[in-house]
Amino acid sequence: MTLDAVLARIDETLPQSIDRLMELLRIPSISTDPAYRADCARAADWLVKDLESLGFSARAAATPGHPMVVGHGGEGGRHILFYGHYDVQPVDPLDLWDRDPFDPEVQDTPKGRVIRARGSSDDKGQLMTFVEACRAWKSVHGALPGKLTIFLEGEEESGSPSLIPFMRDNAAELTAELALICDTSMVSPGVPSIAGQLRGMLKEEFTLHGPRIDLHSGHYGGPALNPLREIARIIASFHDETGRVAVEGFYDGVHEVPEALKRQWETCGFDEKDYLESVGFTRAHGEAGYSTLEQQWARPTLEINGLWGGYQGAGSKTVIPSEAHCKITCRLVGDMDAADLRRKLRAHVEARLPQDARITWDGHLDGAPAAVMDTSRPEFEAARQALSDEWQREAVIVGMGGSIPIAGYFKEILGMDAMLIGFANDDDAIHSPNEKYDVESFHRGIRSWARILARIA
Amino acid sequence: MTLDAVLARIDETLPQSIDRLMELLRIPSISTDPAYRADCARAADWLVKDLESLGFSARAAATPGHPMVVGHGGEGGRHILFYGHYDVQPVDPLDLWDRDPFDPEVQDTPKGRVIRARGSSDDKGQLMTFVEACRAWKSVHGALPGKLTIFLEGEEESGSPSLIPFMRDNAAELTAELALICDTSMVSPGVPSIAGQLRGMLKEEFTLHGPRIDLHSGHYGGPALNPLREIARIIASFHDETGRVAVEGFYDGVHEVPEALKRQWETCGFDEKDYLESVGFTRAHGEAGYSTLEQQWARPTLEINGLWGGYQGAGSKTVIPSEAHCKITCRLVGDMDAADLRRKLRAHVEARLPQDARITWDGHLDGAPAAVMDTSRPEFEAARQALSDEWQREAVIVGMGGSIPIAGYFKEILGMDAMLIGFANDDDAIHSPNEKYDVESFHRGIRSWARILARIA
């Protein structure tokens, strides 16, 4: 029972594992702020040394931004790549933190013990679950469980500008049989979750131009075209009364969720009531005929993220503004094509323009397709069983409403499938003050990876 | 031919009249800026002295804000009150002025001679047309043309906070048989114009509240109610596809323009092509079935003056905001009741609210009804003839799309009808850099008042 020995080692050495994580958490590797550039390099170096101590051949590879950590180790079996990121979000507003964000502490809370610090959950705590599983394995077996590549980015929280070039330049080195990604949460506390699908993203922005200049509503109110009224009319045309997007061809490439998967989701432990009530909703407001989870994970959206024009100050101003502005994002699912959808969206808007108005598009052209994992791969069933054993609760293959482009890049650039397994909880406050990671997530996360590696590596 | 003598005197003394106006223009009486408080008092004192030199018994009456200038003079005939304002708008942006706004100059331009300075048109130049007419009359006849009260405000450009209390406290003193107001423009250069109707005003503002906090569009996009989408839907419901306001009961109290008046408007010299094209329109965009002038002068409107919510910065943010905001003004005509309309507007919005959304109203409760002048009073026909004689062009009784509350206050508080006659032109750049007043407007304006006073005082 060599796995049992590894799990026992993990349990025995948990205090040391936490200490190592806290060392990493003390390095303020905020990637978006140039003031922390040296700290990012320091975190990369710390990880290189730590991987080397496990027998990895590791390096911090320079990029125009922050270094990429790449380590290779072990041999035999399936070649597995693990991805995580060592950079963290900024800490503002600092006055809402109960303590220094980079002075980590283990705290007892009514919901259990937590590690409190910036990055504790996103993503230093999560990436270290994999590293610590490797360490326990090595110390019991004298070797890693198989051929492993560890790939840790330092720019995830600042748009990953170096990621795609680095992957292209180092494609052969980074290509494995499967990528594991640990940067997601569990659908509900204690419910081990594998992401089977992620939504993609299209970003668009436009300005509707009407009169040449701002007009006085006394002198021109009536005869004037009002851009605010026109943009409202166009936005109102985006959805029909059932909540369905009314842009022609919007649903091309969208597939219904298979019945079997739908039944799995129904029992996956998602707390619909809490999800809705915690933000003030008595019901889901999306497309009629679809469950809350389908609306969140499996249906595309067209959201207005920003809308503005005219006077926003105190009191009143009798202005008919010359412009109105709108920011849009669409979440994509299935085989929806971002470029095709952009054309359809623009055609929808242009077709509804009144005479004497015109549109300028300020689109952000970085659309990303949805990522649908190949959950028929045997590693998914193996991971599901491993996670179910560890958490004593049937593991679930869930969807995710957000977009994690790395999974799509692995497929597109390296032809490599990905499996996303994470142990974060929705209350971890990632990107917010007082971020924490449950000690249970950390501990059982390490044990989960040991069990998964035992089955797939 | 005593009128001829007065007109001749006006012509001879025009240079002195311009000099006096320029003296007044040198006083920077910006009412909204406390730094110019003493200058406002100085302008009031200057006017008191000037009126005293014409035999008026005049005073600068203190208020919590800037002083009111009140002068009484003459005797016999109809008691006439004249209203103007001596305060001016701020001068920002100063760098767009070709010279010091308070260093007036007579300039030759391709369109004729102008007096250039802040306040030259609005309203110091206009109010001095009346004062100079009185001066010429006095110097020819040794007396004013009849019993006159001159009432000059110093807070018109800053919301007139002292006006209503002052009128109530001094009602007996200020009540005359008719008020003359010189603060409007001509419908077209050289076309003498009497305002027969002004639109009223209703101001409203609301916030649509959705989720308790800003949401991430990955985690909540789909199930979430989006306040930006909902506010757009509500705004889009305000008008039907013919441009008519779709709020139930909105048109209660609106009357069609009598055919005779409509015919007058058709030949009033309004340059529709220039009005539209100068701001980029190829056609009028208001209610189908109404002319451009009707849309501007005789039809009510519901305009969105400000609309905002969500992210307005550079790039993209995947936010579903918790609030959306909207500022509205309605222009009222005929017998529309502002308080009643506010109820209807609010009911229209509330009836369209989805579950889980709510509205807070931030209404500015200072609605003003439309002012419809009693143009059947003999003074209107008398003024029309006087103006036609002076300008050698049939004077017209026009509408005005804007709102000048003073006319309504005279009626409401003092029971006094008003007649609005002004000589400004649309290109005077009032409230803007390089404000000017045509010397022709000033000269013929003075002559016009002399002719009008000869007929009605």
Side-chain angles (χ1 to χ4, degrees):
Chain A
M1 295 314 290
T2 55
L3 174 61
D4 284 348
V6 173
L7 296 176
R9 180 61 57 95
I10 291 169
D11 295 347
E12 288 156 22
T13 57
L14 181 63
Q16 290 79 10
S17 298
I18 291 176
D19 284 347
R20 273 185 294 270
L21 172 56
M22 286 169 70
E23 244 184 73
L24 179 57
L25 290 170
R26 279 188 199 101
I27 307 173
S29 48
I30 302 171
S31 59
T32 201
D33 186 339
Y36 296 90
R37 189 174 175 86
D39 296 299
C40 290
R42 199 147 57 88
D45 291 341
W46 188 94
L47 285 159
V48 166
K49 281 213 183 65
D50 198 48
L51 292 178
E52 284 173 343
S53 76
L54 303 182
F56 282 89
S57 130
R59 71 187 201 279
T63 73
H66 304 299
M68 302 282 179
V69 173
V70 184
H72 302 288
E75 50 190 20
R78 280 190 190 91
H79 181 194
I80 302 285
L81 178 138
F82 175 84
Y83 166 90
H85 64 91
Y86 65 80
D87 63 320
V88 300
Q89 281 272 321
V91 294
D92 313 308
L94 192 58
D95 58 335
L96 294 187
W97 284 82
D98 293 334
R99 55 185 288 114
D100 180 346
F102 297 109
D103 179 16
E105 187 181 53
V106 176
Q107 298 175 344
D108 283 306
T109 78
K111 289 166 135 186
R113 293 173 77 214
V114 305
I115 303 159
R116 183 89 61 191
R118 168 58 85 230
S120 56
S121 175
D122 183 17
D123 185 45
K124 287 173 176 171
Q126 300 240 63
L127 78 86
M128 286 303 286
T129 57
F130 191 85
V131 174
E132 294 297 333
C134 291
R135 191 185 324 272
W137 193 286
K138 176 86 187 297
S139 84
V140 168
H141 293 283
L144 294 167
K147 185 167 160 61
L148 296 178
T149 295
I150 291 187
F151 177 36
L152 306 174
E153 185 189 356
E155 300 178 332
E156 202 271 349
E157 302 293 5
S158 52
S160 299
S162 310
L163 182 62
I164 290 178
F166 187 81
M167 284 171 69
R168 287 199 204 284
D169 290 350
N170 299 274
E173 184 187 353
L174 294 172
T175 303
E177 288 178 58
L178 181 71
L180 304 176
I181 300 173
C182 190
D183 196 17
T184 50
S185 25
M186 297 186 286
V187 66
S188 206
V191 181
S193 311
I194 305 172
Q197 52 194 71
L198 298 161
R199 293 195 291 190
M201 171 82 88
L202 171 72
K203 299 174 183 177
E204 196 50 279
E205 179 170 345
F206 68 86
T207 299
L208 191 154
H209 305 265
R212 193 169 293 154
I213 51 170
D214 284 5
L215 302 177
H216 188 280
S217 78
H219 200 42
Y220 274 97
L225 177 151
N226 184 329
L228 298 177
R229 178 171 145 198
E230 299 303 326
I231 207 166
R233 193 176 48 74
I234 287 172
I235 291 171
S237 77
F238 283 147
H239 294 82
D240 70 15
E241 64 286 352
T242 70
R244 196 175 159 86
V245 177
V247 173
E248 199 182 327
F250 186 83
Y251 290 91
D252 292 351
V254 177
H255 312 299
E256 296 295 317
V257 177
E259 281 304 320
L261 185 56
K262 225 189 278 187
R263 275 194 303 277
Q264 260 195 53
W265 287 357
E266 278 164 15
T267 57
C268 75
F270 170 69
D271 188 341
E272 180 179 6
K273 194 163 176 291
D274 179 65
Y275 170 84
L276 294 171
E277 285 183 359
S278 66
V279 298
F281 296 147
T282 57
R283 65 174 178 84
H285 292 272
E287 277 174 277
Y290 292 92
S291 72
T292 303
L293 269 193
E294 283 178 285
Q295 291 175 15
Q296 183 194 344
W297 292 347
R299 301 299 297 174
T301 63
L302 190 170
E303 291 292 354
I304 312 302
N305 307 117
L307 172 61
W308 71 101
Y311 181 64
Q312 304 182 19
S316 176
K317 184 174 177 185
T318 52
V319 65
I320 296 175
S322 76
E323 296 180 351
H325 308 266
C326 174
K327 284 181 194 277
I328 297 172
T329 50
C330 295
R331 298 277 173 177
L332 313 183
V333 303
D335 298 311
M336 292 173 82
D337 180 79
D340 179 53
L341 187 59
R342 190 186 300 280
R343 281 189 294 275
K344 289 166 177 167
L345 181 60
R346 290 184 174 192
H348 180 98
V349 170
E350 301 275 359
R352 280 157 183 81
L353 262 190
Q355 194 178 328
D356 295 338
R358 67 189 171 82
I359 296 279
T360 49
W361 292 96
D362 313 295
H364 315 282
L365 296 174
D366 53 336
V372 182
M373 311 306 154
D374 178 6
T375 57
S376 69
R377 286 185 64 125
E379 296 93 339
F380 278 80
E381 181 52 24
R384 225 180 52 72
Q385 287 179 17
L387 288 166
S388 303
D389 289 348
E390 173 59 32
W391 294 80
Q392 295 292 301
R393 171 31 168 124
E394 190 80 1
V396 286
I397 294 183
V398 297
M400 285 193 48
S403 309
I404 301 185
I406 183 74
Y409 297 150
F410 280 148
K411 185 75 186 175
E412 192 183 320
I413 298 171
L414 306 179
M416 178 166 61
D417 283 330
M419 182 157 70
L420 292 95
I421 298 171
F423 309 100
N425 278 306
D426 281 346
D427 65 354
D428 279 358
I430 65 168
H431 298 202
S432 299
N434 298 322
E435 179 176 352
K436 59 89 176 164
Y437 197 43
D438 292 346
V439 171
E440 184 188 37
S441 290
F442 187 59
H443 185 188
R444 290 198 162 186
I446 301 170
R447 290 172 55 99
S448 295
W449 286 122
R451 290 180 187 272
I452 292 167
L453 288 170
R455 287 179 183 261
I456 71 172
Chain B
M1 296 313 294
T2 55
L3 174 60
D4 285 346
V6 173
L7 296 176
R9 178 60 57 96
I10 289 169
D11 296 347
E12 288 157 20
T13 58
L14 181 63
Q16 291 79 7
S17 297
I18 291 176
D19 285 347
R20 271 185 294 271
L21 171 56
M22 286 169 71
E23 241 183 77
L24 180 56
L25 290 171
R26 280 188 199 102
I27 306 174
S29 48
I30 302 172
S31 58
T32 199
D33 186 340
Y36 296 91
R37 189 173 176 85
D39 295 299
C40 290
R42 197 148 57 88
D45 290 342
W46 187 95
L47 285 159
V48 166
K49 281 212 183 68
D50 198 49
L51 291 179
E52 284 173 344
S53 77
L54 303 184
F56 282 88
S57 131
R59 74 187 200 279
T63 74
H66 303 299
M68 302 281 178
V69 173
V70 184
H72 301 288
E75 50 192 19
R78 280 193 193 89
H79 179 194
I80 302 284
L81 177 138
F82 174 84
Y83 167 89
H85 64 89
Y86 65 81
D87 63 322
V88 300
Q89 280 273 321
V91 295
D92 314 307
L94 192 57
D95 58 334
L96 294 187
W97 284 83
D98 293 335
R99 57 183 288 113
D100 179 346
F102 297 109
D103 179 18
E105 187 182 54
V106 176
Q107 299 174 344
D108 281 306
T109 79
K111 290 167 135 182
R113 294 173 76 214
V114 305
I115 304 160
R116 183 88 63 189
R118 168 57 85 229
S120 56
S121 176
D122 181 19
D123 185 48
K124 288 172 175 171
Q126 298 240 64
L127 79 85
M128 286 303 287
T129 57
F130 190 86
V131 174
E132 293 298 332
C134 291
R135 192 185 323 271
W137 194 285
K138 177 85 189 294
S139 86
V140 168
H141 292 283
L144 294 168
K147 183 168 162 58
L148 295 178
T149 296
I150 291 187
F151 178 37
L152 306 173
E153 186 189 357
E155 301 178 332
E156 201 272 348
E157 303 292 4
S158 51
S160 298
S162 310
L163 183 62
I164 290 178
F166 187 82
M167 284 171 68
R168 287 198 202 285
D169 290 350
N170 299 275
E173 184 186 354
L174 294 173
T175 303
E177 287 178 60
L178 180 71
L180 303 176
I181 300 174
C182 191
D183 195 17
T184 50
S185 25
M186 296 186 287
V187 67
S188 206
V191 180
S193 311
I194 305 172
Q197 53 195 74
L198 300 161
R199 293 195 290 190
M201 171 81 89
L202 171 71
K203 299 175 183 175
E204 196 52 276
E205 179 170 347
F206 68 86
T207 299
L208 189 152
H209 305 264
R212 193 170 295 152
I213 51 171
D214 284 5
L215 301 177
H216 187 281
S217 77
H219 199 45
Y220 274 97
L225 177 153
N226 185 329
L228 298 177
R229 179 170 144 200
E230 299 304 327
I231 207 167
R233 191 176 50 74
I234 287 171
I235 290 170
S237 77
F238 283 148
H239 294 83
D240 69 17
E241 64 285 355
T242 71
R244 196 174 159 86
V245 178
V247 174
E248 198 181 328
F250 186 84
Y251 290 92
D252 292 352
V254 177
H255 313 299
E256 296 296 317
V257 178
E259 280 306 319
L261 185 57
K262 227 190 278 191
R263 275 194 302 278
Q264 260 195 56
W265 286 358
E266 279 162 17
T267 58
C268 75
F270 170 69
D271 188 340
E272 180 179 9
K273 193 162 176 293
D274 179 67
Y275 171 83
L276 294 172
E277 286 183 359
S278 65
V279 298
F281 296 146
T282 57
R283 65 174 179 83
H285 292 272
E287 276 175 277
Y290 293 93
S291 73
T292 303
L293 269 192
E294 282 177 285
Q295 290 176 16
Q296 183 195 345
W297 292 347
R299 301 298 298 173
T301 64
L302 189 169
E303 291 291 354
I304 312 301
N305 305 116
L307 172 61
W308 72 101
Y311 181 64
Q312 304 182 19
S316 176
K317 186 175 176 184
T318 53
V319 65
I320 297 174
S322 76
E323 296 181 353
H325 308 266
C326 174
K327 285 182 193 276
I328 297 172
T329 50
C330 295
R331 297 279 173 177
L332 313 183
V333 303
D335 298 312
M336 291 172 83
D337 180 79
D340 180 51
L341 187 60
R342 189 185 302 277
R343 279 189 296 273
K344 290 168 177 165
L345 180 61
R346 291 185 173 193
H348 179 98
V349 171
E350 301 273 0
R352 280 155 185 81
L353 261 192
Q355 194 178 327
D356 295 337
R358 67 190 171 81
I359 296 278
T360 48
W361 293 95
D362 313 296
H364 315 280
L365 296 173
D366 52 336
V372 182
M373 311 304 153
D374 179 5
T375 57
S376 69
R377 286 186 64 125
E379 296 94 338
F380 278 79
E381 181 52 25
R384 225 180 50 74
Q385 289 180 17
L387 287 166
S388 304
D389 289 347
E390 173 57 33
W391 294 80
Q392 296 292 301
R393 168 34 167 125
E394 190 80 2
V396 286
I397 294 184
V398 298
M400 286 194 49
S403 310
I404 300 184
I406 182 75
Y409 298 151
F410 280 149
K411 186 73 187 177
E412 191 185 320
I413 298 170
L414 306 179
M416 176 166 63
D417 283 328
M419 183 157 70
L420 290 95
I421 298 171
F423 310 99
N425 279 306
D426 279 347
D427 65 354
D428 279 357
I430 65 168
H431 298 202
S432 299
N434 298 321
E435 178 175 352
K436 62 88 176 165
Y437 198 44
D438 292 346
V439 170
E440 185 189 39
S441 289
F442 187 59
H443 185 187
R444 291 199 162 186
I446 301 169
R447 289 172 55 100
S448 295
W449 286 123
R451 290 182 188 271
I452 291 167
L453 288 171
R455 286 179 185 261
I456 72 172

